Structures are given as C-alpha cells and as structure tokens.
Amino acid sequence: MTAPVCTSASAAAAPARQTLPHPRLAPAGTSLYPSFASYVRARHPALLRTARSLTANPSDAEDLLQTALAKTYVAWERIEDHRALDGYVRRALLNTRTSQWRRRRVDEFACDELPEPEPRPGADDPAERQALRDAMWRAILRLPARQRAMVVLRYYEDLSEAQTAELLGVSVGTVKSAVSRALGKLREDPELGLAR
C-alpha cells in the first residue's frame, strides 16, 4: 500500500464526500439513517404480521423481525430502490428463518397420539398402592405400642427425633434406638415382603 507524498494535494484532488461511520458504531438509541427509522415506524405492524406467519411463537416472530431489520440496517446504503424495501425485508425474514430452521436440531416429532410412558409395575396402579398401604398399616399395628407410636410420629406426622422424644417424654437416644428396631421389624415383615 502506498502513502500519498503530499497529503494536502491528494485531499484537494479527491472529491468531497461525506463519510459515515459503520452503522454498528453508532451510539445506542440513535440511527445514522433517519429514513430507516421512519420506515420501521411506518411498516413495523405489516412486517411483524409477516414474521408471525413464519413462526408459531409471537416472541420468536419479534426476534426474527429484529434480526431481519438489523440486516436491513447494515445494508441500508447498498439498497438502491427504497420503494422495494418491503421485499428486501421479507426476503431477509425468510432467509433468516430458513437459516434458523436448518441449524435447529429436531428433537420433537409430530404424531397423531401422544405416547404414553411405560407403566412401572405396581407403581401407578391405585389398587397396588392401596394394597401396599394396607399391608404397611397391618405391619405397623403388629409393632409394640411404644415403637408404633414413635414410627407414626417420626414418619407419618413428620416430627423430628427431638420433637418425638419431647412429646413422649423420653430421651432422643431412646427414640433413635426404638425407631431403628421398629424399622428392622418392618423390613423383615413377610406381608410387606410379598407386597413389594
């Protein structure tokens, strides 16, 4: 690249033209092209309808229109016929949407019926749940009264060990040991083994 020898002579010889900074370097909230701002104000509703026809989600349509308008803004000086701006923006909308669609991974497929999850054996069957609940209560009723009270307070009433001890007037250690023995008996209960 060669530098001019005489900068004042080359500046005088060059035709005077206005140099605008790149549109991306414009201060936030300002437009280098007032005609662009007036175009967007006038045509925004119609262009948004076009964007909504390309997407199912209104928020995606607004994002799509903003992207297309940003592309139009960058190319504003290159657009020769401003009467054809709607066509340019619509083409930008369509190209942007096509690019988004191509990049998207398809994880969902349309189908006539919603697929049902595979049922877990006995987990979702109300009769099985009720049978297990009944078997659990019968096993709890076979526990000694003190252990039964502690298990019910700890696991059905959801009290802490300290609260259970205070309510029954015993120490926390007594609650821990009694509940541990009761859970051992419940694990060994033959009726609960069959229900599981």
Side-chain angles (χ1 to χ4, degrees), residues 88-121:
Y88 184 92
V89 175
R90 285 189 180 110
R91 175 52 62 184
L93 283 168
L94 187 60
N95 290 346
T96 303
R97 182 64 182 141
T98 302
S99 296
Q100 290 171 348
W101 180 79
R102 285 181 180 153
R103 282 193 306 262
R104 185 185 63 163
R105 271 187 29 216
V106 178
D107 291 335
E108 300 175 6
F109 301 97
C111 58
D112 293 335
E113 294 181 27
L114 291 175
E116 295 296 327
E118 289 295 322
R120 292 178 294 158

Side-chain angles (χ1 to χ4, degrees), residues 14-77:
R17 71 180 181 99
Q18 181 183 10
T19 58
L20 292 174
H22 193 275
R24 291 182 189 156
L25 301 177
T30 63
S31 173
L32 293 177
Y33 311 117
S35 57
F36 175 79
S38 61
Y39 168 75
V40 171
R41 276 194 299 275
R43 298 298 299 154
H44 187 270
L47 295 172
L48 186 57
R49 281 192 300 273
T50 303
R52 283 188 178 158
S53 70
L54 295 173
T55 64
N57 186 340
S59 298
D60 290 342
E62 291 174 11
D63 291 344
L64 179 63
L65 179 58
Q66 288 301 317
T67 303
L69 288 174
K71 290 178 180 180
T72 305
Y73 183 74
V74 170
W76 192 255
E77 283 185 331

